[in-house]
Amino acid sequence: MASTHDHPGEQAAQDPIRLLAIRDTPLSVDEVFRAVGDDAAGGIALFVGTVRNHDSGQDVGALGYSCHPSAQDELRRVAEKVVADFPVRALAAVHRVGELVVGDLAVVVAVSCPHRAEAFEACRKLIDDLKHEVPIWKHQRFSDGTEEWVGAC
């Protein structure tokens, strides 16, 4: 008797990396969600990172993101590792650069997999590795006039 893992839908899609981008324009949750649609996916996990009004007990007045020229290549490397480690049907990740305000979307990632547990795990790995390995830096300016740079890697 064949196990459910023998079904073609249980195996990784041929080209699961559907959307990778670093943009200086507003991000769209709908665009990322549509990019990971797949008829063989039983679960889609999506993470949205937004600009909040505080950090480390201080009020954030303004915030900007910048990146190293290698950031797009590093984003692809991170995505390829997630695809290699999980049964990903489709994956998408976009990160914003430039000046943002409180409430703006800074990053949107999504992963679809045959089952929800795999989708959750793969999505968490994707956002965690993106934040730790892709050279994107956050410049926070606080309402008291102080500022700090926060490196993602």
Side-chain angles (χ1 to χ4, degrees), residues 22 66-75 97 134-137:
I22 298 172
S66 59
C67 67
H68 188 272
S70 69
Q72 185 76 30
D73 292 337
E74 289 302 308
L75 180 57
V97 293
V134 179
I136 297 172
W137 306 285

Side-chain angles (χ1 to χ4, degrees), residues 10 25 119 143:
E10 297 291 312
T25 56
S143 57

Side-chain angles (χ1 to χ4, degrees), residues 84-95:
D85 291 347
F86 296 92
V88 172
R89 299 297 309 171
L91 177 149
V94 292
H95 201 295

Side-chain angles (χ1 to χ4, degrees), residues 16 30 37 48 52 67-68 73 76 79 83 85 90 99 102 104 110 119 128:
D30 290 339
V48 179
R52 63 182 178 265
C67 67
H68 188 272
D73 292 337
R76 175 158 292 282
V83 167
D85 291 347
E99 294 301 311
V102 172
D104 279 349
D128 286 351

Side-chain angles (χ1 to χ4, degrees), residues 45-138:
L46 184 128
F47 173 81
V48 179
T50 59
V51 176
R52 63 182 178 265
N53 65 359
H54 69 282
D55 192 26
S56 303
Q58 293 183 279
D59 291 334
V60 172
L63 183 144
Y65 283 96
S66 59
C67 67
H68 188 272
S70 69
Q72 185 76 30
D73 292 337
E74 289 302 308
L75 180 57
R76 175 158 292 282
R77 187 187 58 74
V78 164
E80 288 171 348
K81 177 126 178 52
V82 171
V83 167
D85 291 347
F86 296 92
V88 172
R89 299 297 309 171
L91 177 149
V94 292
H95 201 295
R96 180 96 183 262
V97 293
E99 294 301 311
L100 286 76
V101 299
V102 172
D104 279 349
L105 305 184
V107 61
V108 183
V109 301
V111 177
S112 62
C113 291
H115 304 284
R116 75 176 173 273
E118 300 158 341
F120 279 126
E121 291 174 34
C123 189
R124 181 172 192 123
K125 179 75 169 158
L126 177 59
I127 188 61
D128 286 351
D129 288 357
L130 185 160
K131 295 298 285 179
H132 289 108
E133 298 178 26
V134 179
I136 297 172
W137 306 285
K138 177 170 54 173

